């Protein structure tokens, strides 16, 4: 789709793909990129009938190298105060994290290369992470006198455990895709030249499920993490009953009995 400056955004066969597109800067985050991301997420949230899965990846050799160090230097030289930085954090970080998490469809991070700092954080905002065998990772915030952000202090311990999260945040060390898989940061590793192809195959497998089940399964799983079992079962029952009374449930049963692929409509 046109109208974006530092991302590429396209929707094809129910899959929306966001490509961070500052390859000359290893897709480091900028104000322009954030504005592009806001508009892409708004489109996704307003067109659920077109989009059932969202893929986030990067152009060139990197997924995302994190924050733009030149922009950090400028803010220091401009004498940015504590309150100014806090206001910027609310607008450019907290707001963006909440926007990513507002996406109801399953999200896949296709990690094609360097995934550092806030790039790691963005990967964790996605539900599934598939990495190229050549991808490299790290959270070197402490080496810049900062702490992990873009929600990393929340998501990192939930993904890799508290001890490993503190280790990664404290050392800032780089690690490879296999290490990322072993600690749970990455779910799958693929050859570099087949990453997008294999992510698309994963999308095709997921599209065999109805749009409603994709959205409600994701919501129920995340909601259950903050609930006691009784409340989780109550929420699960509500979601399941909504699915049961849908046209897509009837189609799911019919296609199985008739031995054919499903044709889901989202109703």
């Amino acid at each position: 789709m046109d109208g974006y400056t530092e991302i590429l955004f396209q929707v094809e066969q129910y899959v929306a793909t966001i490509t961070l597109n500052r390859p000359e800067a290893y897709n480091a985050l900028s104000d322009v990129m954030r504005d592009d991301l806001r508009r892409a997420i708004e489109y996704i949230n307003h067109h659920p009938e077109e989009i059932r899965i969202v893929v986030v990846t990067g152009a060139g050799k990197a997924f995302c190298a994190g924050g733009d160090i030149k922009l950090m230097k400028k803010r220091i030289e401009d004498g940015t105060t504590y309150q100014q930085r806090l206001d910027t954090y609310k607008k450019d970080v907290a707001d963006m994290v909440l926007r990513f998490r507002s996406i109801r469809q399953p999200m896949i991070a296709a990690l094609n290369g360097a995934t550092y700092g806030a790039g790691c954080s963005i990967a964790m905002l996605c539900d599934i992470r598939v990495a190229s065998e050549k991808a490299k990772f790290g959270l070197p915030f402490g080496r810049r006198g900062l702490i992990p952000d873009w929600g990393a202090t929340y998501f990192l311990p939930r993904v890799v455990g508290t001890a490993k999260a503190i280790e990664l945040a404290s050392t800032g060390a780089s690690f490879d895709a296999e290490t990322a898989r072993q600690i749970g940061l990455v779910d799958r590793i693929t050859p570099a030249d087949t990453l997008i192809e294999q992510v698309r195959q994963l999308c095709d497998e997921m599209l065999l499920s109805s749009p409603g089940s994709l959205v409600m399964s994701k919501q129920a799983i995340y909601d259950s993490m903050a609930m006691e079992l009784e409340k989780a079962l109550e929420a699960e029952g509500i979601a399941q009953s909504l699915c049961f009374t849908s046209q897509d449930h009837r189609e799911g049963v019919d296609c199985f009995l008739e031995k054919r692929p499903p044709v889901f409509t989202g109703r």
Side-chain angles (χ1 to χ4, degrees):
M1 294 183 181
D2 297 331
Y4 298 92
T5 304
E6 292 187 355
I7 70 168
L8 304 175
F9 181 58
Q10 65 178 20
V11 179
E12 184 178 0
Q13 296 179 327
Y14 298 112
V15 177
T17 302
I18 297 172
T19 304
L20 309 180
N21 192 34
R22 293 183 72 205
E24 73 288 348
Y26 296 96
N27 301 321
L29 296 164
S30 70
D31 291 340
V32 173
M33 183 181 285
R34 276 186 284 267
D35 287 341
D36 282 352
L37 287 169
R38 287 187 182 97
R39 290 192 294 115
I41 292 170
E42 184 175 0
Y43 185 93
I44 291 167
N45 287 342
H46 283 84
H47 295 83
E49 72 286 349
E50 294 180 26
I51 299 166
R52 301 182 185 178
I53 301 169
V54 178
V55 174
V56 184
T57 191
K61 297 180 179 180
F63 173 70
C64 176
D68 190 326
I69 301 295
K70 292 180 180 178
L71 179 58
M72 295 181 194
K73 178 67 172 176
K74 182 178 185 304
R75 285 173 173 165
I76 293 170
E77 292 178 342
D78 288 345
T80 301
T81 66
Y82 163 83
Q83 189 59 51
Q84 289 172 327
R85 183 65 188 103
L86 182 58
D87 291 342
T88 298
Y89 173 88
K90 292 176 181 178
K91 172 179 175 289
D92 289 345
V93 179
D95 174 72
M96 290 302 306
V97 170
L98 294 174
R99 285 176 186 266
F100 267 98
R101 296 301 287 183
S102 74
I103 295 174
R104 300 181 69 206
Q105 300 90 328
M107 297 178 64
I108 303 172
L111 306 171
N112 54 298
T115 304
Y116 287 100
C120 253
S121 304
I122 291 172
M124 287 187 287
L125 293 177
C126 298
D127 308 302
I128 301 168
R129 290 166 291 280
V130 182
S132 157
E133 62 188 355
K134 295 182 179 180
K136 299 291 185 181
F137 301 84
L139 293 101
F141 294 92
R143 300 184 183 192
R144 308 292 171 260
L146 299 170
I147 70 165
D149 64 3
W150 273 71
T153 57
Y154 180 89
F155 292 105
L156 189 60
R158 287 165 170 79
V159 171
V160 303
T162 303
K164 182 57 70 173
I166 292 174
E167 176 189 331
L168 296 177
S170 299
T171 66
S174 296
F175 50 97
D176 61 17
E178 178 56 29
T179 300
R181 188 192 63 79
Q182 291 174 4
I183 64 175
L185 184 62
V186 160
D187 303 295
R188 300 186 183 190
I189 300 175
T190 75
D193 58 354
T194 65
L195 173 65
I196 298 303
E197 177 186 345
Q198 294 202 32
V199 167
R200 181 66 221 199
Q201 289 177 2
L202 175 58
C203 291
D204 289 342
E205 291 178 23
M206 295 168 71
L207 289 171
L208 295 174
S209 296
S210 73
S213 68
L214 289 172
V215 167
M216 284 194 273
S217 293
K218 172 178 172 175
Q219 187 67 50
I221 288 168
Y222 280 120
D223 287 350
S224 74
M225 296 174 70
M227 293 178 177
E228 295 182 354
L229 177 58
E230 186 175 352
K231 289 294 184 182
L233 289 171
E234 181 181 344
E236 181 181 277
I238 292 170
Q240 185 70 302
S241 299
L242 287 169
C243 288
F244 182 84
T245 54
S246 69
Q247 293 180 26
D248 278 348
H249 172 54
R250 178 183 291 274
E251 168 62 13
V253 171
D254 287 346
C255 76
F256 177 81
L257 294 174
E258 296 167 11
K259 296 180 172 55
R260 60 173 175 79
V263 181
F264 292 124
T265 63
R267 294 192 292 271

